[in-house]
Amino acid sequence: QVQLVESGGGLVQAGGSLRLSCAASARTSSTYVMGWFRQRPGKEREFVAAISWNGANTYYADSMKGRFTISRDNAKIAVSLQMNSLKPEDTAVYLCAAELAPATVPVMTRPQYWGQGTPVTVSS
């Protein structure tokens, strides 16, 4: 069982930046793709970004490309999301996720593990 704990959400003005972090509660010998989803008010959960276990491959939703950067630290089994040029429409609860996958795969299809989420509010 892997528990994920997010941190770093908050309130920021449009154009500003935030860095979200997610740490796993326990070490594991399995390999996981890790990533972020978000749930905006009144919208379905949507994919944001993912990174392969070895950190070499990333995958972003089109609307996040160029603004968001995902990275990971396998020594801590942690993943971060640097969000720049934030817009009011980025306001959402951001959830960390993990899915068993080969070490080079950056794609998430059905995460087995989810964090509780951290809220991000971008004011105009």
Side-chain angles (χ1 to χ4, degrees):
Q1 185 74 12
V2 176
Q3 291 183 324
L4 304 173
V5 179
E6 303 99 333
S7 61
L11 173 65
V12 64
Q13 289 188 331
S17 299
L18 277 177
R19 186 177 181 87
L20 306 182
S21 296
C22 170
S25 61
R27 297 196 62 82
T28 173
S29 59
S30 300
T31 59
Y32 294 87
V33 54
M34 295 184 72
W36 295 89
F37 289 73
R38 71 182 185 185
Q39 186 138 26
R40 294 184 284 177
K43 303 284 187 179
E44 292 188 356
R45 188 174 294 181
E46 61 180 333
F47 170 77
V48 173
I51 187 167
S52 59
W53 177 256
N54 65 1
N57 301 307
T58 58
Y59 185 68
Y60 295 91
D62 286 344
S63 60
M64 283 50 142
K65 288 179 182 177
R67 298 192 300 127
F68 292 5
T69 302
I70 190 169
S71 59
R72 70 186 297 162
D73 179 352
N74 278 347
K76 301 178 181 179
I77 313 182
V79 63
S80 296
L81 184 69
Q82 178 68 41
M83 305 187 294
N84 298 327
S85 303
L86 283 163
K87 306 173 183 179
E89 52 264 42
D90 292 318
T91 294
V93 174
Y94 285 73
L95 302 106
C96 179
E99 179 176 336
L100 284 167
T104 61
V105 172
V107 178
M108 307 190 82
T109 56
R110 188 176 294 182
Q112 288 94 0
Y113 304 105
W114 293 91
Q116 291 297 310
T118 185
V120 171
T121 302
V122 184
S123 63
S124 58

